[in-house]
Amino acid sequence: MALAWRHLRRAFHLETSSLRILKTYPSLSLGASRTPASKLTFHTKPEMPSCDFSPERYQSLAYSHILEIHKQHLSPVRTAYFQKPLLLHQGHMEWLFDSDGNRYLDFFSGIVTVSVGHCHPKVNAVAQEQMERLWHTSSIFFHPQMHEYAEKLSALLPEPLKVIFLVNSGSEANDLAMVMARAYSKKTDIISFRGAYHGCSPYTLGLSNVGSFKMELPSGMGCHSTMCPDVFRGPWGGSYCRDSPVQTIRKCSCVPGRDREEDLSGGVRNLEKDCCQAKEQYIEQFKDTLNTCVAKSIAGFFAEPIQGVNGVVQYPKGFLKEVFELVRERGGVCIADEVQTGFGRLGSHFWGFQTQDVMPDIVTMAKGIGNGFPMAAVVTTSEIAKSLANCLLHFNTFGGSPLACAIGSAVLEVIKEENMQENSQEVGTYMLLKFANLRDEFDIIGDVRGKGLMVGIEMVQDKRSRRPLPLKEVNQIHEDCKDMGLIMGRGGPFSQTFRIMPPMCVTKPEVDFAVEVFRSVLIQHMERRAK
């Protein structure tokens, strides 16, 4: 079924959401049309789009009891968002509901994991049917779900990426990819970008170059970081550098060339191709890493096509292609981490590496692969797969379970049947341009970037300095958006970038609401600043 039905909303709002709006803003009429963005003030609460779903009444543990259990029995690492963490109760497509019945537009998708929508009806039905038939056998026995899924997934990947290893998480997938790279190359050194996040297992902690994921104890043997080619915050970059409908506002001396042009005689003459000086500077930095930090031969190189945790950082066009060539010259393999960028989220292509015009040797994937169910995969060539088999009896108890593979197959079917990749392209581009208009309006928005439904909004003290907006201010903006019904993610080295990755079923009216909320909150923030 196409996404058209998503636009046929019922004319009423959820009673729970209406009560929340009325209680906080008694003067707001729910029957009124949406306030135009140009007329919003910090006294205005944008009207939330209607939703044709009513949540069940929450009847579980009291919030106070939840906090007590969390304090006594769960990890003491502080990861929960907001001053008063949300106690979520139910989800439906792009919507979340808390224990009080309040409704929220989910623009973070459980850290970019809910790809086709919370509790998508088809995925739910397939999961229920499989649960009643067979949950688990482990891969020492055959079952059709694993083989059907392998066939479907391999059909979506180009030759020679056809051998699939099924695991349970992105960290597991990247951990296995590291072992593969070293088994194949018989070398140790692996390079990843500064700001990269590739997992939190003992192996992948060496690849994750974010300060809060670094330990004071020895770890990450053989892992080396190189400069991230960030065209907004890095030393080089400008207004022609990245593959995005929205470019950075930095000045740029690059030449946006064209491949061919018809001349006056009707013939075709060649013109200079895109020349990106920032790309050349960052390539020199990568060469410096190869010449000074690693052995003459290396095991491999890891890269996300677009960095996620670091704040949706995009590289200069053509950069990864040249880097892949340099890595292969040193005997290394190239690994594309598609945990956040894969499965059509970027719109123009199904896989992020395709947007970079590169062919990796290994692809890792997780998160959206199972729409929230624990599932992940590593896909590689038969040659690399055989090199692993020759030195290691690799086995995963839960990887490729009947339940996981049935769910994975349903997710692939929904993406195709409901045109979700196309929706990511159309609605994502619409959203990027809408948020770019806010960048032009507010000096504290330094950059808007991304592709498809993967967007970053970097907050700064001012555009001239590009210094990060203080954490206290970013926290308050984040909190205010939540209070108006919008949930966004955070990223960047200073947690200064809002990460916007809604489920791929999101619609333009919902984007309009999100943009109106963000603008209203920024107006409110500027009012506070002025006082």
Side-chain angles (χ1 to χ4, degrees):
M1 182 185 296
L3 274 173
W5 69 272
R6 308 274 314 134
H7 298 276
L8 299 175
R9 304 289 193 179
R10 293 182 186 175
F12 64 89
H13 295 290
L14 281 177
E15 181 181 358
T16 52
S17 301
S18 302
L19 288 173
R20 174 162 62 94
I21 295 173
L22 286 170
K23 179 174 65 175
T24 310
Y25 293 87
S27 63
L28 181 63
S29 170
L30 292 176
S33 59
R34 182 179 294 111
T35 305
S38 59
K39 295 183 180 179
L40 287 173
T41 72
F42 79 97
H43 299 293
T44 304
K45 186 182 183 73
E47 183 182 347
M48 183 176 284
S50 62
C51 172
D52 55 0
F53 177 83
S54 296
E56 301 168 0
R57 189 168 69 88
Y58 180 76
Q59 300 182 64
S60 189
L61 300 174
Y63 189 86
S64 58
H65 193 190
I66 292 280
L67 292 179
E68 184 179 343
I69 293 172
H70 196 97
K71 182 178 180 179
Q72 292 186 8
H73 302 298
L74 296 177
S75 169
V77 177
R78 294 187 62 182
T79 56
Y81 278 171
F82 310 122
Q83 296 173 21
K84 180 183 177 183
L86 286 176
L87 177 55
L88 294 174
H89 166 50
Q90 204 163 354
H92 173 71
M93 302 306 285
E94 58 270 51
W95 301 103
L96 287 170
F97 303 85
D98 69 13
S99 56
D100 294 324
N102 296 320
R103 178 160 59 106
Y104 302 89
L105 181 59
D106 182 9
F107 261 43
F108 198 31
S109 303
I111 315 182
V112 207
T113 300
V114 178
S115 49
V116 299
H118 291 282
C119 302
H120 188 285
K122 177 168 183 171
V123 179
N124 276 8
V126 167
Q128 184 64 43
E129 182 182 353
Q130 186 61 45
M131 287 175 72
E132 293 176 353
R133 181 181 299 118
L134 182 67
W135 282 37
H136 175 76
T137 64
S138 197
S139 55
I140 58 174
F141 303 104
F142 287 176
H143 57 84
Q145 288 75 25
M146 179 169 63
H147 297 80
E148 288 173 4
Y149 183 71
E151 188 173 49
K152 288 178 182 177
L153 183 62
S154 65
L156 294 167
L157 287 145
E159 292 283 358
L161 297 168
K162 294 298 177 179
V163 184
I164 300 166
F165 294 75
L166 294 168
V167 293
N168 306 289
S169 73
S171 290
E172 273 191 40
N174 285 332
D175 198 289
L176 177 57
M178 294 178 75
V179 176
M180 281 183 179
R182 287 169 171 163
Y184 177 74
S185 67
K186 295 179 172 57
K187 305 300 177 186
T188 300
D189 289 338
I190 298 179
I191 301 171
S192 60
F193 287 132
R194 291 170 202 152
Y197 178 80
H198 296 288
C200 206
S201 67
Y203 252 13
T204 57
L205 278 175
L207 296 176
S208 295
N209 298 307
V210 180
S212 55
F213 292 97
K214 290 298 184 184
M215 294 183 64
E216 295 179 359
L217 300 175
S219 64
M221 182 188 71
C223 296
H224 306 269
S225 69
T226 190
M227 179 182 284
C228 176
D230 183 346
V231 299
F232 173 72
R233 187 159 291 285
W236 305 287
S239 53
Y240 296 111
C241 295
R242 61 195 183 202
D243 174 27
S244 173
V246 178
Q247 299 290 337
T248 176
I249 60 173
R250 293 176 70 178
K251 299 296 182 182
C252 188
S253 56
C254 302
V255 178
R258 290 163 290 174
D259 291 336
R260 307 198 309 164
E261 183 180 79
E262 186 174 342
D263 61 24
L264 295 177
S265 64
V268 174
R269 59 189 177 94
N270 292 325
L271 292 178
E272 181 182 18
K273 291 187 178 181
D274 283 1
C275 172
C276 182
Q277 295 182 7
K279 181 195 75 173
E280 300 303 325
Q281 296 284 2
Y282 287 117
I283 288 293
E284 289 304 311
Q285 290 296 313
F286 192 84
K287 289 178 179 177
D288 187 61
T289 298
L290 290 174
N291 293 331
T292 62
C293 300
V294 296
K296 292 182 180 179
S297 295
I298 64 175
F301 166 69
F302 267 79
E304 304 160 88
I306 298 176
Q307 283 191 332
V309 172
N310 201 29
V312 195
V313 172
Q314 294 179 279
Y315 322 126
K317 288 175 287 188
F319 175 82
L320 275 189
K321 193 166 188 176
E322 288 194 34
V323 165
F324 275 27
E325 293 172 359
L326 293 171
V327 168
R328 286 172 174 145
E329 287 173 6
R330 293 293 189 105
V333 300
C334 300
I335 300 104
D337 181 337
E338 294 277 356
V339 170
Q340 296 191 34
T341 54
F343 296 93
R345 176 162 289 277
L346 301 189
S348 62
H349 298 78
F350 200 80
W351 304 108
F353 69 80
Q354 295 170 321
T355 70
Q356 303 288 330
D357 192 25
V358 296
M359 177 63 72
D361 304 294
I362 302 172
V363 179
T364 62
M365 55 193 75
K367 291 188 181 289
I369 189 174
N371 199 45
F373 190 86
M375 185 179 184
V378 181
V379 185
T380 189
T381 66
S382 59
E383 187 179 5
I384 293 175
K386 288 175 183 176
S387 71
L388 178 71
N390 289 336
C391 68
L392 174 68
L393 178 61
H394 177 265
F395 180 74
N396 190 299
T397 299
F398 295 104
S401 76
L403 185 55
C405 291
I407 290 171
S409 288
V411 169
L412 293 180
E413 290 169 8
V414 169
I415 291 172
K416 182 178 180 179
E417 292 168 359
E418 300 190 11
N419 301 314
M420 288 198 173
Q421 180 183 335
E422 293 80 1
N423 194 61
S424 294
Q425 173 74 356
E426 181 180 350
V427 178
T429 302
Y430 178 82
M431 181 169 67
L432 269 166
L433 296 174
K434 286 278 188 176
F435 280 118
N437 289 338
L438 296 189
R439 179 198 61 184
D440 298 338
E441 183 177 353
F442 294 94
D443 196 39
I444 60 172
I445 299 180
D447 196 30
V448 172
R449 52 183 176 258
K451 189 174 176 65
L453 290 173
M454 187 172 186
V455 175
I457 303 175
E458 183 158 350
M459 309 303 293
V460 294
Q461 295 184 42
D462 58 82
K463 286 185 173 69
R464 181 179 294 239
S465 70
R466 284 177 288 152
R467 290 193 301 269
L469 192 66
L471 186 59
K472 182 178 179 181
E473 295 186 49
V474 180
N475 287 344
Q476 188 60 59
I477 293 171
H478 198 208
E479 195 88 21
D480 291 344
C481 286
K482 179 263 295 181
D483 291 343
M484 288 195 181
L486 175 65
I487 296 176
M488 301 187 295
R490 298 277 290 278
F494 310 101
S495 195
Q496 82 280 20
T497 301
F498 290 111
R499 296 165 63 195
I500 298 175
M501 293 95 160
M504 295 191 294
C505 55
V506 70
T507 64
K508 288 181 180 178
E510 290 152 2
V511 167
D512 289 338
F513 168 72
V515 172
E516 288 175 9
V517 165
F518 196 59
R519 183 174 185 273
S520 182
V521 165
L522 292 185
I523 291 172
Q524 179 177 342
H525 181 75
M526 300 311 292
E527 290 277 348
R528 282 195 300 260
R529 261 191 164 193
K531 292 178 181 178

